[in-house]
Amino acid sequence: MHTEIPLINILWTGGWDSTYRVLHLSRMNVILQPHYIICDNRRSIKFELEAINKITDDILNDTRTQCVFKTTIITHEKDIPPDEEIANAFRSIRQSVLIGPQYDYLSRYAKTVGNLEIGIEKGGLAEDMMNKFGKLTYVENNGLSYWELDKSASSAALFKVFGYFRFPIYTLSKLNMKAEAEKLGVMDIMEKTWFCHFPHSGLPCGCCFPCKFTIEDGLDYRLPKQALRRYSVEKKFGKLKLYQLIKRFRRKLLNY
């Protein structure tokens, strides 16, 4: 009896979380279709796409790869159809939980794709949001496992924004993924991922949200000493208005 090979659509930023899932799926008998969204105000696009290209080459040249690995679909945020219902639902959620603005256009994109995997990990604002407004259900389907929103136990706004996604790594921390990547023998590839939104001289800044998450989640070894010093300074003085003013000017003038 013929079994159809499952098609997996996944958002891939070239970052730690989504790359972990891509590498995990690459060892399975699936058709893997990555998606990357370009947003003009994201200063790390060049670094993310470079990471995606390097890791793609590694996957294609790895004899352990079992999936059919399709070319990454790159879409500009401006080309994603508007959706007033999603926009209104996103604004409603953001009044209570300050989730990133990217979830507005990512949700609109996910609606056009359907069942799009997203690399939201354990902890942080996303977990707070899920606990506040809804419930996730664990699903095992055709050899795959992931979490998805329970419509009956989630607010209408939450389901409108996140109901088009699957959450495959929701219960994993970055250190969990590191341990699993070591077992898979792909840590050399994981180290090629990119995370910083405001790179300085081609290196992580230490002050943006992804840098902070990387440090606080136990992967501080991935940042240079100068970035770790910036993180420590921000941790100490970040709430002061003078520091916030200096940071705004620094990002405007020096891009980090």
Side-chain angles (χ1 to χ4, degrees):
M1 180 174 167
H2 176 71
T3 302
E4 185 176 352
I5 300 176
L7 170 65
I8 311 298
N9 288 290
I10 181 170
L11 280 173
W12 191 20
T13 64
W16 183 270
D17 305 334
S18 57
T19 298
Y20 167 78
R21 179 60 173 174
V22 165
L23 291 172
H24 183 264
L25 289 170
S26 75
R27 302 293 182 83
M28 301 175 66
N29 184 30
V30 299
I31 301 170
L32 185 51
Q33 177 61 75
H35 298 255
Y36 179 85
I37 310 299
I38 290 177
C39 183
D40 282 340
N41 63 5
R42 198 177 182 98
R43 303 182 189 183
S44 55
I45 293 172
K46 170 190 172 185
F47 298 90
E48 291 172 355
L49 290 175
E50 284 179 353
I52 285 173
N53 289 334
K54 290 176 183 176
I55 295 167
T56 294
D57 287 342
D58 286 341
I59 292 172
L60 293 176
N61 293 321
D62 194 330
T63 57
R64 298 167 296 181
T65 296
Q66 297 182 35
C67 74
V68 176
F69 196 82
K70 303 192 77 173
T71 302
T72 300
I73 295 174
I74 300 176
T75 304
H76 199 290
E77 180 264 333
K78 292 178 181 177
D79 294 328
I80 301 171
D83 190 305
E84 195 60 31
E85 286 187 348
I86 289 177
N88 289 336
F90 170 78
R91 285 192 288 267
S92 174
I93 294 171
R94 211 161 188 257
Q95 287 177 358
S96 299
V97 181
L98 198 60
I99 56 173
Q102 72 272 20
Y103 291 115
D104 180 4
Y105 63 78
L106 290 180
S107 176
R108 289 187 278 117
Y109 184 74
K111 185 177 180 180
T112 70
V113 176
N115 296 324
L116 182 63
E117 289 200 354
I118 187 170
I120 293 180
E121 63 173 76
K122 182 178 181 180
L125 291 176
E127 187 173 17
D128 292 343
M129 173 189 65
M130 295 297 181
N131 291 337
K132 187 178 180 69
F133 295 111
K135 179 183 177 183
L136 288 171
T137 301
Y138 182 70
V139 177
E140 289 187 353
N141 180 26
N142 202 17
L144 298 166
S145 60
Y146 51 86
W147 298 79
E148 63 182 14
L149 270 178
D150 182 342
K151 186 175 183 179
S152 65
S154 303
S155 72
L158 186 69
F159 196 81
K160 177 61 67 175
V161 177
F162 291 95
Y164 302 106
F165 292 106
R166 289 176 175 174
F167 306 87
I169 59 171
Y170 184 71
T171 58
L172 299 178
S173 69
K174 282 183 168 52
L175 288 179
N176 291 149
M177 287 180 251
K178 183 175 184 290
E180 289 301 315
E182 288 170 346
K183 290 179 184 177
L184 278 174
V186 293
M187 270 306 298
D188 59 325
I189 303 177
M190 289 291 286
E191 298 294 1
K192 297 178 183 180
T193 59
W194 185 262
F195 52 89
C196 178
H197 283 177
F198 295 92
H200 177 55
S201 299
L203 298 172
C205 70
C207 299
C208 67
F209 284 120
C211 279
K212 292 176 183 177
F213 296 151
T214 297
I215 294 168
E216 292 167 4
D217 288 347
L219 301 180
D220 54 306
Y221 74 90
R222 300 202 67 208
L223 289 90
K225 290 182 179 179
Q226 193 171 14
L228 293 174
R229 284 196 293 269
R230 292 191 200 105
Y231 169 80
S232 297
V233 170
E234 176 145 334
K235 196 78 173 174
K236 187 174 182 179
F237 302 109
K239 293 182 180 180
L240 298 180
K241 290 184 178 180
L242 177 59
Y243 177 85
Q244 293 170 10
L245 182 64
I246 292 171
K247 184 177 179 179
R248 281 198 296 271
F249 274 107
R250 187 184 71 204
R251 280 197 172 166
K252 186 175 181 179
L253 297 175
L254 301 177
N255 200 35
Y256 75 94

